Amino acid sequence: MTDQPTLADTAAADLPEGPDLLYSEHEDDLRAAVRSLLADRGGPSGVLAELESGRTHDAALWRSLAADMGAAGLLVPEKLGGQGAGPREAAVVLEELGRAVTPVPYLTSAVLAVTALLGCDTDEEEPAGLLAALAAGERVGVLALPLTAAPGGPLEPTVRAGSDGVLLGTVTSVADAAAADVLLVPVRAADGIELYAVDAGAPGLHIEAVTPLDLTRGLARVTFDGAAGRRLAGADRAGAAVRKGLLTGAGLLASEQLGIAEWCLTEIVEYTKQRNQFGRALGSFQALKHRMAALWLEVVSARAAARNAADALAAGSPDAPVAVAVAQAYCAPVAVRAAQECLQLHGGIGMTWEHPLHLFLKRAKSDEIALGAPGHHRAALAELVDLTAP
């Protein structure tokens, strides 16, 4: 006698497969490798020393991460010179970079620029060659848009192409522009948006660094005064490619914010266990236990939101914009709150430059407005689920 499927079995089979929020063994191995590399470089304390050097980013660390480890090519298919992984793996890398506030252009080059290039015709020599160079860590690419540019928002480039193909215009607050070898420039065209590539150091290209709140992610004002550009995509592809880059960047930025919050929570617990007052460890006071427990719940929820966004992007889910909006609307404030709690519970030591805590607070505040502020993502989410405010 064979077992017949029950009604419950049939109903379960008809249910759509849910998101996978857990880390795979491969992702855990990747996390361990990245964390080990960052620890060898000194972690957050090493970042403080690097900031005082005046360099735009840690070039040696970037070479180890991007080229030797192959992390820069995680989003690039193997046939184009990459690792053939996906957003879930890139999210793991960003978690660890957030946990160490590492000054490398991973989000801007390996995520934003790579995703925009993947939206171009990769059968053509120019986009394919750039992708291979970025995936190998040989070059750093930056999408020439303000750091605050948000997915789903209006895409109105401030650069135009002249009749002879040279670019004219200015873009403000471009992240990691000073570290870039090539800029991917959205250009205003008569029939939409086109995408051009401009090599750093090209005549007519001027990159003026500005002082950002977050010193681990530099900002610059980029002026195109007759700089020669190479057309990568026309109006039929460029707009969608740039928007896909912004969506992917915002979704994976949530994992960086998660890493920031996790480090802050860990530091709070360790410090309050060691610091004594009135003959007792600070962590033994019930009021502080409640604060840490509440923050732990927020961090766990942020992990679920960030993993859901990464999984939706990896699966190419039609609900990816919803997942990204939820992740950014939730994870950005959690990272800021975690950094603020960490600062308060460290007392006076948290206010000093010598302690790396201020780096996390500044990165969290900078990330809060990067690729769309939480208010933008809440409004976008309301529209996506047809729940607009009155």
Side-chain angles (χ1 to χ4, degrees):
M1 180 177 180
T2 59
D3 293 335
Q4 297 295 320
T6 65
L7 182 61
D9 293 333
T10 305
D14 292 338
L15 289 174
E17 186 177 350
D20 181 5
L21 305 185
L22 301 179
Y23 298 98
S24 68
E25 183 179 352
H26 168 71
E27 290 163 357
D28 285 336
D29 290 342
L30 175 62
R31 176 193 306 284
V34 175
R35 185 174 296 185
S36 176
L37 172 64
L38 299 182
D40 287 344
R41 298 286 179 169
S45 298
V47 172
L48 274 174
E50 180 69 22
L51 291 179
E52 294 176 349
S53 71
R55 292 187 289 269
T56 58
H57 67 289
D58 189 336
L61 175 57
W62 173 247
R63 186 165 52 252
S64 298
L65 178 70
D68 300 342
M69 191 174 289
L74 288 176
L75 298 182
V76 181
E78 290 185 60
K79 65 179 182 180
L80 295 173
Q83 303 300 319
R88 288 176 59 95
E89 291 79 7
V92 169
V93 175
L94 279 165
E95 275 185 51
E96 294 306 310
L97 296 179
R99 188 189 292 270
V101 286
T102 312
V104 294
Y106 191 84
L107 177 69
T108 46
S109 183
V111 177
L112 288 167
V114 160
T115 307
L117 281 172
L118 286 171
C120 302
D121 186 355
T122 54
D123 289 331
E124 293 186 1
E125 181 179 355
E126 185 69 32
L130 275 177
L131 264 177
L134 265 58
E138 296 170 356
R139 308 186 78 186
V140 172
V142 167
L143 189 60
L145 285 175
L147 182 60
T148 54
L155 193 56
E156 300 173 348
T158 54
V159 179
R160 61 182 177 84
S163 57
D164 51 356
V166 299
L167 304 186
L168 302 166
T170 299
V171 189
T172 59
S173 302
V174 180
D176 292 325
D181 298 303
V182 59
L183 295 171
L184 308 183
V185 189
V187 172
R188 184 173 70 251
D191 53 349
I193 296 171
E194 297 179 340
L195 190 64
Y196 282 73
V198 177
D199 291 329
L205 173 64
H206 307 285
I207 299 177
E208 179 187 358
V210 298
T211 303
L213 171 65
D214 174 19
L215 296 176
T216 64
R217 179 170 286 148
L219 300 178
R221 176 186 177 92
V222 181
T223 301
F224 301 90
D225 186 13
R230 305 182 301 280
R231 189 169 176 268
L232 298 173
D236 57 329
R237 283 180 175 267
V242 172
R243 290 186 175 90
K244 178 65 173 176
L246 293 174
L247 181 69
T248 304
L252 297 188
L253 177 63
S255 291
E256 178 177 291
Q257 292 160 335
L258 170 62
I260 293 169
E262 287 179 333
W263 183 91
C264 291
L265 177 59
T266 300
E267 285 296 305
I268 292 172
V269 173
E270 290 301 316
Y271 183 74
T272 55
K273 283 163 54 177
Q274 297 170 8
R275 176 71 172 173
N276 290 327
Q277 194 145 36
F278 305 113
R280 297 170 54 186
L282 278 178
S284 67
F285 291 99
Q286 194 70 15
L288 299 189
K289 288 182 179 180
H290 286 169
R291 289 173 66 171
M292 287 183 277
L295 182 58
W296 180 84
L297 288 173
E298 291 187 13
V299 172
V300 170
S301 299
R303 183 181 300 117
R307 292 303 294 168
N308 182 50
D311 187 69
L313 290 168
S317 170
D319 290 331
V322 173
V324 170
V326 169
Q328 270 304 306
Y330 189 80
C331 293
V334 168
V336 173
R337 173 170 149 71
Q340 290 172 337
E341 284 286 271
C342 193
L343 182 92
Q344 289 184 12
L345 294 182
H346 271 72
I349 190 175
M351 299 296 293
T352 63
W353 175 268
E354 288 75 14
H355 196 286
L357 173 53
H358 64 95
L359 298 178
F360 290 85
L361 178 58
K362 292 169 184 174
R363 172 69 72 89
K365 291 296 288 183
S366 176
D367 280 358
E368 190 176 27
I369 62 171
L371 301 174
H376 165 85
H377 290 287
R378 285 192 289 268
L381 177 61
E383 292 187 9
L384 287 168
V385 299
D386 197 22
L387 192 64
T388 54

